Amino acid sequence: MERYPATKGGGRGATATAPGRARPAPQEAESAADLPPLLLLHRPRALRRARSMALPRLLRAAAPRLYSTVPAPAPAPAPAGNRPRADDDKLLTEPLSHPDFFSVKELFTLKDLFDARVHLGHKKGCRHRFMEPYIFGCRLDQDIIDLDQTMQHLQLALNFTAHVAYRGGIILFVSRRRQFCHLVESTARACGEYAHTRYWQGGLLTNAHIQFGPGVRLPDLLIFLNTLNNVFEPHVAIRDAAKMNIPTVGVVDTNCNPCLITYPIPGNDDSPAAVELYCKLFRMTIIRAKDKRRQSEAVEELQRKAQGK
Amino acid sequence: MHGSDPARASAGAAWAPPPGALGTRPRTLAGAPVPVQFPFHFRFRFRVRAAPGRARGPCGGAAMAATAGSRTQKIGSIFSRARNLVRIGLLRKPLWLDVYAAFPPLREPVYRVPRPRYGSGDPIGAVLYREDAVRAKFYKVYGNGPKPFDLTQLNFKSTCQRFVEKYNELKEEGKIEEEKLFEETGKALLASGILLQRRGVDKGAAPRDAASQPQLQAVLGELQDKRKDGQEQPPELAGTQKESPCPS
């Protein structure tokens, strides 16, 4: 079954790059039982204005993470639908105990990033305010991205990607640059994952069950090679992924907003050398993770057979 | 979303929120309820999808774990929302939750309102080196330099870079005075084979002008004479034109 149907006409819609292996069938049927909205708060305007001035900001400043400091209530009893499988648990929890299970740090060095011109940002006037922490300095009005921070962020992002691929997650590459559209699609095809480098229809993630039918499995990770769309605005998929609780990994340039991206990678997204480097790194990471999964499963099988005998 | 799903048979059954779903209003440490923050009009919408009656495969009879979603991307991060929903029991644990918990990002991806920065202060400083003074003078005097930049080579050294390195060498030797260092570096580079032409100033341009002006004057004078003379001009002009070789 195709998760993302082929383009319907004129290049619109998601491109389907079906992987070689079979995907598991959806495990539960979809029957929507819409609940009435739980909380609907409406305050009169005067009160809202008076309150909105001082109090919320003060409280927010005084206790920014109030909700997270409240001790967690006892977890609800595990629903019967969860089927804990002992062997899967070990397979899944063991990689998390290693700081770098997939040796992602070996894949790149600072010199590689420098040679691929990852440190080159846009001009000073294009700078986004939230990118200021990631910028090393400004050389003749051109922003230079701090490659030490980029190394850290890239390592975290690749590690996360590897773990998601290891657990059999669906990864969707997104980029709206025509220059790199083919490269991104071929990278996705090489990994056995998916790509979407065309016009993003409004409800692809948020209205998926209508557009693609019930029982669609949404991607577990979105990788943005370019977070802006054709008109230099943040790509809609960033907001939609945040809405659907899907983690994102994205290359953010100096004119991008890194707020909603789970694992941002501050770096150049305009030079072909840089984008080729990113594609190569993601491809190697995902293939490595999948190979490791297959290896671990094979080892488990052998052990089980040995025990069984 | 609303009514397009065929399997809504159990929608009419009485629904009670699972314990702890609504939750008590969060309270401060002193016990007073926290007033609801701006914006006041947000709403939580939990869309619970349960599949009780649809028997499919081995898991038909058992009550399936509900899947909910909270589409409020401006409140908290995906991790906080997903973790809380899982803890309540409304959401089946997503694939990435454990991985995020084990390897969190350096900054929690919380939404922030993008506000412009006011004032003249620039938090990012300029990147300048001591050699930039030499480079600035080089470009002012010599223009772009004779050799174009070849950025395809990673370890390419431009004329300006060679100049700067030579300048630093001579400075370290210390035999030459500071005011003359610049000229001495130019001479040193000339000795090693790099020709530097000063940008658009007298030495190069003046002799050409001085040479061409008498030529122009001579030609003009001839034309005037020939006009006075009459019709003897064309063959002579043609002759003179053929004789003078093109300097290209």
Side-chain angles (χ1 to χ4, degrees), chain B residues 40-79:
Chain B
F40 297 109
H41 55 275
F42 68 69
R43 47 179 94 176
F44 287 106
R45 194 173 270 146
F46 292 98
R47 261 191 284 121
V48 178
R49 295 210 174 88
R54 211 161 165 189
R56 236 198 207 182
C59 31
M64 301 296 296
T67 317
S70 167
R71 296 195 175 191
T72 51
Q73 85 269 19
K74 296 188 182 178
I75 298 170
S77 65
I78 52 165
F79 177 68

Side-chain angles (χ1 to χ4, degrees), chain A residues 129-140:
Chain A
R129 184 166 175 186
F130 297 149
M131 287 300 292
E132 280 164 8
Y134 305 120
I135 292 176
F136 176 75
C138 192
R139 173 97 169 142
L140 298 178

Side-chain angles (χ1 to χ4, degrees), chain A residues 200-219:
Chain A
W200 182 277
Q201 278 183 339
L204 277 187
L205 290 180
T206 44
N207 206 17
H209 297 293
I210 304 295
Q211 293 197 357
F212 298 111
V216 172
R217 185 177 159 191
L218 291 180

Side-chain angles (χ1 to χ4, degrees), chain A residues 174-191:
Chain A
V174 178
S175 167
R176 203 57 184 100
R177 292 279 299 236
R178 287 187 63 158
Q179 194 179 3
F180 308 120
C181 146
H182 179 76
L183 174 67
V184 169
E185 287 178 349
S186 45
T187 308
R189 193 177 295 125
C191 299

Side-chain angles (χ1 to χ4, degrees), chain A:
Chain A
M1 176 168 39
E2 280 185 343
R3 293 285 175 273
Y4 292 87
T7 56
K8 281 175 187 161
R12 287 184 161 234
T15 54
T17 57
R21 59 192 166 89
R23 289 239 173 249
Q27 283 164 358
E28 59 169 88
E30 290 293 319
S31 74
D34 273 300
L35 301 177
L38 269 174
L39 278 163
L40 176 58
L41 295 153
H42 181 68
R43 298 291 163 102
R45 251 197 193 172
L47 193 58
R48 190 200 296 173
R49 238 181 256 142
R51 279 224 169 158
S52 67
M53 285 305 136
L55 206 51
R57 269 195 208 137
L58 280 175
L59 280 169
R60 219 184 291 158
R65 289 278 167 261
L66 193 62
Y67 295 173
S68 62
T69 56
V70 171
N82 282 355
R83 285 166 271 119
R85 288 174 255 169
D87 45 353
D88 262 1
D89 265 354
K90 192 182 163 195
L91 208 63
L92 294 177
T93 50
E94 202 224 322
L96 295 180
S97 49
H98 295 251
D100 194 6
F101 188 69
F102 301 99
S103 314
V104 143
K105 279 184 185 160
E106 299 170 355
L107 291 175
F108 62 97
T109 58
L110 197 89
K111 186 157 194 316
D112 292 337
L113 295 184
F114 185 81
D115 290 339
R117 301 172 212 146
V118 165
H119 60 291
L120 299 176
H122 288 274
K123 286 279 193 177
K124 192 164 71 174
C126 299
R127 192 192 299 157
H128 197 284
R129 184 166 175 186
F130 297 149
M131 287 300 292
E132 280 164 8
Y134 305 120
I135 292 176
F136 176 75
C138 192
R139 173 97 169 142
L140 298 178
D141 277 359
Q142 182 178 12
D143 287 331
I144 307 294
I145 297 168
D146 189 357
L147 282 184
D148 292 322
Q149 292 190 51
T150 304
M151 289 273 286
Q152 284 181 319
H153 283 93
L154 189 56
Q155 194 261 322
L156 277 172
L158 289 177
N159 186 44
F160 186 82
T161 313
H163 280 278
V164 170
Y166 180 86
R167 288 162 173 245
I170 297 180
I171 297 176
L172 183 69
F173 287 84
V174 178
S175 167
R176 203 57 184 100
R177 292 279 299 236
R178 287 187 63 158
Q179 194 179 3
F180 308 120
C181 146
H182 179 76
L183 174 67
V184 169
E185 287 178 349
S186 45
T187 308
R189 193 177 295 125
C191 299
E193 296 294 345
Y194 301 83
H196 186 104
T197 55
R198 314 279 182 207
Y199 174 75
W200 182 277
Q201 278 183 339
L204 277 187
L205 290 180
T206 44
N207 206 17
H209 297 293
I210 304 295
Q211 293 197 357
F212 298 111
V216 172
R217 185 177 159 191
L218 291 180
D220 298 298
L221 176 67
L222 293 197
I223 298 182
F224 288 89
L225 274 307
N226 194 281
T227 40
L228 301 179
N229 60 14
N230 276 354
V231 285
F232 300 101
E233 282 170 1
H235 201 293
V236 172
I238 299 173
R239 188 205 66 187
D240 283 355
K243 274 185 181 288
M244 305 305 290
N245 291 340
I246 299 172
T248 44
V249 163
V251 178
V252 280
D253 208 343
T254 48
N255 56 350
C256 305
N257 187 351
C259 278
L260 281 179
I261 296 173
T262 321
Y263 291 88
I265 303 169
N268 187 8
D269 62 359
D270 297 298
S271 296
V275 177
E276 279 168 13
L277 176 74
Y278 300 135
C279 285
K280 184 188 87 172
L281 289 174
F282 282 121
R283 189 183 66 235
M284 287 169 72
T285 321
I286 293 171
I287 289 175
R288 212 183 252 203
K290 289 184 179 175
D291 286 341
K292 221 161 193 175
R293 177 65 186 237
R294 258 179 259 134
Q295 270 179 24
S296 309
E297 281 181 341
V299 164
E300 288 269 337
E301 277 252 5
L302 287 173
Q303 281 181 354
R304 224 182 302 153
K305 278 184 184 171
Q307 280 175 0
K309 284 180 184 175

